[in-house]
């Protein structure tokens, strides 16, 4: 997986797009460009990973700060890796998986975290599943 964050100035300087005139591209970017810092998670073959990319877009549209979206993206990436190592995924994760992830983050991870950092992780996971 590859995690990227949008850069609005780079998005606006994309140049020509086959099939669209310059004014159409400008209009599209003016009305539909992602907010700065919106996470984009791509597979190894560079395809968007759903439902995560749509969720990140929803966070952006709901005016979450770039800092919050970045924190949520890294938490989600860790949680997804944790689940995959257990042969699971986001769609089939259970409450026990979340509790096990919590224990891992607090006690067993290479870089453990304190309760405040876990609270941010829990907010990200809760937001992710609330949007589904």
């Amino acid at each position: 997986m590859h995690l990227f964050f949008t850069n609005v100035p780079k998005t606006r300087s994309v140049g020509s797009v086959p099939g669209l005139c310059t004014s159409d591209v400008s209009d599209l970017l003016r009305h539909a460009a992602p907010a700065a810092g919106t996470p984009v998670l791509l597979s190894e073959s560079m395809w968007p990973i759903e439902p995560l990319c749509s969720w990140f877009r929803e966070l952006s549209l709901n005016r979450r700060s770039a800092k919050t979206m970045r924190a949520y993206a890294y938490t989600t990436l860790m949680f997804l890796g944790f689940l995959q190592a257990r042969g699971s995924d986001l769609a089939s994760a259970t409450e026990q998986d979340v509790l096990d992830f919590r224990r891992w983050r607090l006690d067993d991870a290479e870089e453990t975290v304190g309760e405040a950092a876990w609270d941010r992780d829990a907010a990200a996971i809760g937001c992710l599943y609330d949007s589904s």
Side-chain angles (χ1 to χ4, degrees):
M1 287 177 282
H2 304 281
L3 180 60
F4 299 95
F5 298 91
T6 59
N7 179 315
V8 174
K10 284 187 179 180
T11 304
R12 294 190 193 288
S13 67
V14 69
S16 64
V17 175
L20 294 175
C21 68
T22 305
S23 65
D24 288 343
V25 172
S26 294
D27 286 345
L28 181 64
L29 290 175
R30 186 172 28 263
H31 295 99
T38 300
V40 178
L41 187 60
L42 302 178
S43 69
E44 292 300 322
S45 57
M46 302 307 281
W47 283 94
I49 296 177
E50 290 296 350
L52 293 175
C53 284
S54 292
W55 176 60
F56 293 144
R57 175 112 173 114
E58 181 182 325
L59 292 176
S60 173
L61 292 172
N62 289 329
R63 298 190 177 275
R64 294 289 177 119
S65 72
K67 182 179 176 183
T68 296
M69 289 189 291
R70 180 176 289 272
Y72 280 19
Y74 284 118
T75 294
T76 304
L77 196 59
M78 278 188 288
F79 185 50
L80 187 57
F82 178 84
L83 291 172
Q84 287 176 339
R86 299 170 69 129
S88 189
D89 60 21
L90 291 172
S92 61
T94 64
E95 184 176 351
Q96 187 61 51
D97 291 320
V98 175
L99 292 172
D100 291 346
F101 180 66
R102 178 184 187 274
R103 185 174 359 96
W104 177 76
R105 287 284 284 148
L106 292 171
D107 300 329
D108 300 328
E110 188 173 308
E111 292 184 30
T112 59
V113 297
E115 288 291 336
W118 168 252
D119 289 345
R120 286 190 304 271
D121 289 349
I125 295 167
C127 182
L128 171 63
Y129 282 109
D130 285 345
S131 72
S132 301

